[in-house]
Amino acid sequence: RGGGRSRSAKREELYLHLSCYSAHFSALLKYEWEAEQEALQAEICDWPLDKLKRAGLLLDRLCVRRVEELYGSPVLRLSLRPPAAGPRSQRSAALAAPSAPSLPYHAFSVGDAVSLCAGSAPVLPLGHPRSAGVGRHADGGEDPVPGVLLQRTDSVVLVVVPRLPADRMSALQAASALCLYRGASAIPFERNQAAIDRVTDPLFPQACMHPDLRDLILREAPLALPPPPRPASRRGGPKPSRAALGRPPAAASSAVKAAVAVGRPSYLDAAAGRAQVRAAVAAVAAASASPALNPSQVGAITTALQRRLVLIQGPPGTGKTRTACHLLAACSALRRAGLGG
């Protein structure tokens, strides 16, 4: 029975480590996503229309060419309205299908969160703190239609939108001009979140994960994030609403963000000297497969091990992913050497 209790305790410890690791980095991803969206919305609020167009964040004078479907969700085919044709016979006008003009410069990419609204100026949702001073909400207008950019060509953008009431969809198709403004891309957020969910799944086969990565996750000190307070309810009194239970006050949200900001991997808490760090990096580099790490990659790994925050960037093919993998291996080597406790 003692062995059974031991296995149960180990299993509970494993679940605790995995859940804390997932909560920590999922919260960081969420805050990054929210901050990027807020920064783009601030630009929508503060920049004039000409600047938004020059930056590629706004496309106007659009029309709905066609409505398609993708797994039950409407897909709007948007393009510039073709120029009016000159006088010609009814037969030639019927046979000639007007081609869409080329779109102006824009920074829209596949996977971007976008918003579509009538008119030539962007409109923020009615609940946004600054919606009263942007677009038509000052006079009482409809919220923009959220969507995700599915595909783009030189003359057409395809946007997946939620299913709308028939009258709203008809109004979009009949609008003389629509504008589309860009939000942050959801693809990196979704891919990173999917990776976190995968590596923290207790049923994920250990053989499919590199031992160094598994070692870092399982040996990481649990990061205790304060749970959002639940409103108290007296016996016999009114029960709190479901919305109130799921929405912590602003102070609690700030406390969670602060806990995430100060939480660091425990190997950084140790006073690892430069010599020990360089020795760990050298050992990892020597054990790596050919080709060897170049001096720039070694320098990036060494710097990252001694700083709280490091940004590693480079053009495609410069070895960013390989550098990140060796950085994880060096972290694990430092821990095994006892420098991380």
Side-chain angles (χ1 to χ4, degrees), residues 123-198:
V123 177
L124 292 178
L126 189 57
H128 193 275
R130 302 178 65 178
S131 61
V134 179
R136 296 175 294 107
H137 272 315
D139 303 325
E142 290 186 326
D143 278 349
V145 177
V148 176
L149 196 137
L150 178 66
Q151 186 180 351
R152 52 169 285 184
T153 67
D154 290 341
S155 58
V156 174
V157 290
L158 273 63
V159 177
V160 183
V161 298
R163 187 162 293 280
L164 301 171
D167 56 344
R168 185 76 193 276
M169 182 64 76
S170 300
L172 288 176
Q173 293 179 267
S176 59
L178 301 169
C179 73
L180 189 73
Y181 64 90
R182 185 176 73 87
S185 175
I187 290 180
F189 171 78
E190 292 172 350
R191 286 180 176 175
N192 282 309
Q193 185 60 61
I196 291 174
D197 295 340
R198 187 170 178 83

Side-chain angles (χ1 to χ4, degrees), residues 183-319:
S185 175
I187 290 180
F189 171 78
E190 292 172 350
R191 286 180 176 175
N192 282 309
Q193 185 60 61
I196 291 174
D197 295 340
R198 187 170 178 83
V199 300
T200 57
D201 184 356
L203 302 180
F204 185 70
Q206 295 191 21
C208 299
M209 187 185 303
H210 195 280
D212 287 340
L213 180 57
R214 192 73 174 183
D215 176 72
L216 285 176
I217 294 176
L218 295 183
R219 293 177 180 271
E220 189 61 63
L223 300 166
L225 299 179
R230 302 174 68 88
S233 128
R234 296 182 179 179
R235 184 182 299 273
K239 294 183 178 180
S241 66
R242 182 171 299 180
L245 287 174
R247 186 179 305 157
S253 177
S254 299
V256 173
K257 291 183 180 181
V260 171
V262 300
R264 294 188 294 168
S266 59
Y267 71 84
L268 289 180
D269 294 335
R274 293 183 180 180
Q276 291 91 337
V277 169
R278 288 175 181 171
V281 174
V284 169
S288 65
S290 180
L293 295 175
N294 61 44
S296 176
Q297 294 168 339
V298 172
I301 296 172
T302 304
T303 302
L305 289 171
Q306 301 176 83
R307 301 283 181 87
R308 182 185 178 104
L309 177 66
V310 169
L311 174 64
I312 300 177
Q313 61 180 358
T318 53

Side-chain angles (χ1 to χ4, degrees), residues 44-64:
I44 295 294
C45 294
D46 299 333
W47 288 8
L49 295 181
D50 288 343
K51 185 174 182 180
L52 289 173
K53 294 177 187 177
R54 290 196 303 269
L57 301 179
L58 176 68
L59 284 173
D60 62 351
R61 298 181 294 113
L62 298 175
C63 66
V64 178

Side-chain angles (χ1 to χ4, degrees), residues 22-45:
S22 175
H24 180 75
F25 286 100
S26 296
L28 287 177
L29 279 179
K30 180 182 178 183
Y31 298 147
E32 182 184 17
W33 168 258
E34 291 175 348
E36 192 172 359
Q37 292 283 17
E38 289 173 2
L40 287 169
Q41 288 177 353
E43 293 173 353
I44 295 294
C45 294

